[in-house]
Amino acid sequence: MAYFLKYKLEYTSHGNYDTKIEILKKDYEGEVISLVGSATPFHLAYEANSNSQFSTFKSSYCTLEVKLTESIKTDFIEIEDEDDFILRYYRNNSLYWTGYILQEQYYEGDDNNNPFV
């Protein structure tokens, strides 16, 4: 099993960081598709550890807001396995965060007020 780049988004984030988001798909063959993000497309959140506030391991998740395309709609509605897609977040060419994209967390905005997913 190998992962190959399917989607990418590059922008300058708050703090003037060169930011790159890559979405890799398991066993993908094809062209790389550029995404269009919202004004602040990547949000990272850490969850508190109920066992110890000083734990070195913390759960985290990201929210990614990108324009809806048919390709994204098809890919993310039909995720079969938890490991079909990997998201990688880079700041100034250094890998900062990585995680899997899960189907049950995909949602669509409406086309008028919020065209992002």
Side-chain angles (χ1 to χ4, degrees):
M1 162 176 53
Y3 290 87
F4 299 96
L5 182 62
K6 181 163 186 180
Y7 299 102
K8 73 175 181 175
L9 173 61
E10 296 178 303
Y11 62 99
T12 301
S13 64
H14 184 69
N16 229 15
Y17 295 108
D18 291 328
T19 303
K20 177 173 59 174
I21 295 170
E22 295 179 342
I23 299 175
L24 293 81
K25 184 174 182 180
K26 183 170 41 174
D27 300 325
Y28 175 68
E29 293 180 11
E31 304 257 337
V32 176
I33 301 168
S34 292
L35 298 174
V36 175
S38 67
T40 54
F42 184 86
H43 308 274
L44 184 59
Y46 290 96
E47 295 180 340
N49 185 338
S50 60
N51 296 331
S52 169
Q53 67 181 7
F54 301 109
S55 174
T56 56
F57 296 104
K58 299 208 184 300
S59 297
S60 63
Y61 64 91
C62 83
T63 301
L64 179 65
E65 295 178 355
V66 294
K67 285 253 186 182
L68 179 63
T69 65
E70 283 304 313
S71 179
I72 286 179
K73 190 174 188 176
T74 301
D75 274 343
F76 296 155
I77 286 178
E78 298 177 1
I79 293 176
E80 294 178 12
D81 294 322
E82 290 181 349
D83 63 351
D84 279 352
F85 290 91
I86 295 175
L87 186 143
R88 293 183 179 158
Y89 174 76
Y90 295 86
R91 267 201 223 164
N92 293 334
N93 265 347
S94 294
L95 182 61
Y96 187 80
W97 187 87
T98 189
Y100 291 104
I101 297 176
L102 306 176
Q103 185 213 17
E104 64 269 10
Q105 296 173 338
Y106 166 85
Y107 68 93
E108 293 181 27
D110 62 53
D111 289 330
N112 298 323
N113 298 323
N114 184 10
F116 300 100
V117 295

